[in-house]
Amino acid sequence: MAPTVAPYGTWPSPISAEHLVERAVGLSDVDTHDGVDTHDGVDTHDGVDTHDQRVVWVEGRPAEAGRFVVVEQRPDGRRVDLVPSGFSARTQAHEYGGRCWAFDGNDLICSNWEDQRLWRFPAGGGEPVPLTAPPPAPRAVRFADPVVTPDRRWLICVRERHGEDVVNDLVAVPLGDASGHGPATAPGATAPGAAEGGSLDDPVVLASGHDFFAAPALSPDGTHLAWLSWDHPEMPWDATELWVADLRTDGAGATIDGARLAAGRDGESVQQPRWSPDGVLHWVSDRTGWWNLYRDGEALAPMEAEFGVPAWVFGQRTYTFLGDGTLVAAWHGPSGSGIGAVHGGRVHPVATAYTSFRYLAAAGDAVVAVASSAREFPAVVRLGLDGSTAVLRRARDADLPDDTVSVPQRLQFPTAGGETAWALVYRPANPGVTGPEGERPPLVVMTHGGPTSQAVDDLNLAVQFWTTRGFAVADVDYRGSTGYGTAYRNRLRGSWGVCDVEDVVAAARHLAATGVVDGERRVIRGGSAGGYTTLAALAFTDAFAAGASYFGVADLGALARDTHKFESRYLDRLVGRWPEDEATYRARSPIFHVDGFERPLLILQGLEDMVVPPAQSEMIYEALKKKGVPVAYLAFSGEQHGFRKAETIVAALSAEMSFYGLVLGFTPEGAVEVPVENL
């Protein structure tokens, strides 16, 4: 049968905005633990307590208002939510959060989003019990990256306190006696369903005096503690220090002695300290220009590839140790990605259909991780070194037919100054539909956040949403992105608002010049730092017909003054010192160059965003409205930095699609009304 001919952008798609959130979850933070199957007070093995390894992960659930739930898969295959209704396992430390849970025996201990306290969720089915006192102000004390000492008396973690200043330190939280029964709750210090009575001891400070701490790691015998620290204006991908100290714990206290610097001098980015089963400290470092693996300072598998990732959240894990001590690691780089065992000075790849691996943890002689590829949605998988794979949990129930999936091409293209940059390029794909003869597809240029981050080639319904409608997509890894070595990552130093803008424009023009897309129908979209690049591209160039900014930065100076502690000196490296270099900030801030805006803009913003406050979106909206540029502003209550609620995700994507239709002159399938000023 001859394919149906339809204008690009109007193709009937099997993917609606609702499909992005229907029966879908976000998957992260995979781990394992040994436990007794007595959760909910019911023994499921005929009265015999069964000790066996369980796989645990975190699910972000759009259908539950973006709630985060710790989920456990038992040896018999049953999945159990370990966080009851009314709780969300999420920390706000560094605003971006990350790892916030650990196990004390069979009890789960984790942060709760609403109050940011640490709570114990008893495995026997008892009521949740808080382990830390109520904060002096809402969410004023936050905890992250917890580990439990082998004697089960203490939980060691990062603490972040918000008062006149924000203070970070490394603390030990008392857990109670070795039976795992922690302190009870102080009167009035309750949440729905909490126990009452008793007292709460203050955490013991183990390390302080630096701006930031992360990644506490205990030696197998519990006698040594390793951790990371860094200070402004560094970010964790710029320079960190790895410390090691002797640790002493007992019922009366927790102390460290003999703290010594193990790695991290002269601008070295160290991450993921971890002890092998035989008690040797390992870590990842970029001292050679690539994030590679080290054993007590000795390089294990030197490669022009990255065995690390930028530490935007706590608890990233790209390597682990199996029970027999085998080190298994995942890597990615310009030449590809994979996973394998590391020995003999190199990595031995495992043959598997997956190409991307995150949150690695050992499960006997196998690895569990969040795995994905260009044809496979993210899933929690168990992977053997022989390539055998078992899927434990998929991010979504439904699959896409192979002929519907647009698989990206990794493109290296020329950009300003004779340099090159990278992008993932997706062609339109929809079986049975083709565009009119001689017509080229419109292009959506995607700009990732960070900006110290990267485009990933996971099968992503948010990308396929566009390609199945007849759009091409270019997900640009502008200079400054990770995955291409330290020199490429550092190329954005002093050049944010320059190199990234040059690269998204160069990608769009290259694809038009080579006949891949229609040069008159190119749009640009991005969130956070990607939103800034979107605004800057519209303010300083004429390369795009329209743009969509998700919580983007309009005023760099305001961001330097108002953003949270973690990123408050980030711009020192990317732009210049504030306020000494105010002229540079103004020169690169779209809000001061409204005269350059001519093309329509859609602005989307969460009203509880503490990273890029709503004032950033509101100021550019009012300025463009006053100038007469077509502009729409959609604000969403209850959303922070990044949209998590199902209704928000659907509304935002539907509006964006419809907005492009208005601008580019066609009516897309499923179009909704968008209130555009000055249209």
Side-chain angles (χ1 to χ4, degrees):
M1 180 181 294
T4 300
V5 177
Y8 290 106
T10 69
W11 292 0
S13 171
I15 304 170
S16 68
E18 289 77 11
H19 283 136
L20 269 67
V21 295
E22 287 176 352
R23 296 178 298 170
V25 297
L27 298 171
S28 63
D29 210 4
V30 182
D31 210 338
T32 59
H33 86 103
D34 296 320
V36 180
D37 199 358
T38 57
H39 200 84
D40 300 326
V42 178
D43 181 6
T44 58
H45 290 274
D46 300 322
V48 178
D49 287 339
T50 302
H51 293 260
D52 209 336
Q53 197 167 57
R54 292 99 182 281
V55 181
V56 186
W57 61 85
V58 173
E59 294 186 3
R61 296 177 177 174
E64 298 181 26
R67 189 167 78 99
F68 283 61
V69 180
V70 181
V71 178
E72 178 182 88
Q73 178 153 312
R74 305 285 173 73
D76 62 4
R78 289 183 302 125
R79 291 203 297 262
V80 178
D81 289 357
L82 300 185
V83 179
S85 176
F87 289 84
S88 180
R90 183 177 164 209
T91 178
Q92 203 173 352
H94 290 184
E95 298 300 330
Y96 296 105
R99 179 71 176 239
C100 69
W101 57 271
F103 280 91
D104 175 16
N106 216 30
D107 291 353
L108 173 71
I109 297 174
C110 77
S111 294
N112 176 43
W113 171 252
E114 286 303 321
D115 56 17
Q116 288 298 295
R117 300 165 71 186
L118 287 171
W119 289 77
R120 178 189 295 277
F121 298 91
E127 298 291 353
V129 177
L131 296 179
T132 53
R139 299 177 183 167
V141 183
R142 307 166 183 182
F143 302 92
D145 248 2
V147 291
V148 174
T149 58
D151 62 13
R152 294 173 54 192
R153 294 182 181 274
W154 299 89
L155 179 140
I156 297 174
C157 63
V158 175
R159 180 178 64 175
E160 180 178 286
R161 289 174 291 165
H162 291 246
E164 248 183 69
D165 298 310
V166 179
V167 178
N168 295 64
D169 48 22
L170 198 67
V171 300
V173 178
L175 293 177
D177 61 48
S179 66
H181 295 96
T185 313
T190 61
E196 294 191 24
S199 62
L200 296 169
D201 296 326
D202 290 334
V204 175
V205 177
L206 297 177
S208 62
H210 291 279
D211 289 326
F212 301 100
F213 293 85
L218 287 162
S219 62
D221 61 4
T223 62
H224 293 85
L225 177 68
W227 70 90
L228 299 174
S229 67
W230 67 96
D231 295 296
H232 284 315
E234 310 294 357
M235 297 297 285
W237 42 86
D238 294 326
T240 56
E241 295 179 340
L242 172 61
W243 293 88
V244 182
D246 302 327
L247 175 68
R248 294 182 176 85
T249 63
D250 56 35
T255 59
I256 60 170
D257 294 304
R260 51 206 179 272
L261 187 66
R265 297 178 178 87
D266 301 323
E268 178 184 2
S269 173
V270 181
Q271 60 175 252
Q272 300 185 63
R274 195 156 296 122
W275 301 84
S276 63
D278 59 352
V280 179
L281 186 60
H282 291 62
W283 62 81
V284 173
S285 167
D286 71 344
R287 63 179 59 169
T288 63
W290 298 85
W291 270 319
N292 276 195
L293 289 161
Y294 292 84
R295 173 186 168 95
D296 198 21
E298 175 191 359
L300 292 181
M303 290 174 60
E304 290 192 352
E306 307 279 37
F307 287 84
V309 293
W312 282 106
V313 298
F314 293 98
Q316 301 274 19
R317 294 190 308 282
T318 57
Y319 73 98
T320 190
F321 297 95
L322 303 187
D324 62 1
T326 300
L327 192 157
V328 179
W331 74 91
H332 61 282
S335 300
S337 59
I339 189 171
V342 178
H343 57 81
R346 66 186 184 93
V347 62
H348 301 263
V350 174
T352 171
Y354 294 101
T355 57
S356 176
F357 304 88
R358 299 182 291 278
Y359 302 105
L360 274 64
D365 60 356
V367 171
V368 288
V370 175
S372 58
S373 75
R375 291 194 176 276
E376 297 285 345
F377 288 118
V380 177
V381 304
R382 187 191 304 269
L383 178 70
L385 294 183
D386 60 357
S388 58
T389 305
V391 176
L392 307 185
R393 177 71 158 117
R394 298 182 187 275
R396 57 179 59 253
D397 290 342
D399 288 324
L400 283 179
D402 281 349
D403 56 1
T404 302
V405 175
S406 178
V407 175
Q409 167 200 1
R410 187 173 293 275
L411 174 69
Q412 188 175 20
F413 59 89
T415 189
E419 298 186 59
T420 61
W422 298 81
L424 298 174
V425 178
Y426 299 79
R427 303 288 186 109
N430 191 328
V433 189
T434 188
E437 185 175 353
E439 182 179 329
R440 294 173 183 169
L443 172 68
V444 176
V445 170
M446 293 186 170
T447 56
H448 64 69
T452 308
S453 186
Q454 69 179 119
V456 294
D457 63 357
D458 299 355
L459 178 54
N460 184 343
L461 219 56
V463 172
Q464 307 297 322
F465 176 89
W466 299 108
T467 56
T468 54
R469 284 171 165 73
F471 287 84
V473 172
D475 203 351
V476 181
D477 269 339
Y478 45 79
R479 288 167 290 173
S481 302
T482 54
Y484 305 90
T486 306
Y488 192 84
R489 184 173 76 245
N490 289 345
R491 186 62 184 84
L492 208 58
R493 288 188 172 184
S495 298
W496 193 31
V498 179
C499 285
D500 50 318
V501 174
E502 291 173 342
D503 293 353
V504 296
V505 170
R509 289 179 173 161
H510 175 82
L511 292 172
T514 53
V516 176
V517 303
D518 183 345
E520 300 300 315
R521 296 191 295 165
R522 301 178 300 209
V523 299
I524 184 169
R525 72 189 302 270
S528 189
Y532 164 71
T533 301
T534 294
L535 295 175
L538 295 175
F540 301 124
T541 81
D542 61 357
F544 300 99
S549 169
Y550 284 71
F551 33 89
V553 179
D555 183 347
L556 292 172
L559 183 69
R561 293 190 302 269
D562 301 337
T563 196
H564 59 124
K565 178 185 176 182
F566 180 61
E567 293 183 84
S568 61
R569 300 289 300 279
Y570 190 17
L571 300 194
D572 284 28
R573 291 281 185 263
L574 297 176
V575 181
R577 291 184 60 84
W578 176 265
E580 294 89 334
D581 297 315
E582 183 176 1
T584 303
Y585 279 74
R586 289 182 65 89
R588 297 187 193 170
S589 294
I591 192 62
F592 298 116
H593 301 275
V594 172
D595 287 348
F597 281 89
E598 301 292 343
R599 306 301 173 86
L601 174 67
L602 173 65
I603 304 166
L604 306 103
Q605 177 72 46
L607 292 179
E608 295 183 12
D609 194 335
M610 300 298 291
V611 178
V612 179
Q616 291 274 352
S617 290
E618 292 161 2
M619 70 173 74
I620 196 70
Y621 169 67
E622 293 296 337
L624 295 183
K625 185 170 67 170
K626 182 177 179 180
K627 186 194 175 190
V629 175
V631 60
Y633 177 46
L634 301 179
F636 300 94
S637 62
E639 292 286 6
Q640 297 87 41
H641 196 64
F643 297 159
R644 294 174 175 85
K645 296 181 179 179
E647 60 269 26
T648 302
I649 295 168
V650 171
L653 190 57
S654 298
E656 185 182 356
M657 174 186 66
S658 304
F659 180 75
Y660 294 153
L662 287 172
V663 171
L664 301 180
F666 60 85
T667 303
E669 181 187 47
V672 298
E673 184 176 349
V674 182
V676 184
E677 300 282 349
N678 304 320
L679 187 58

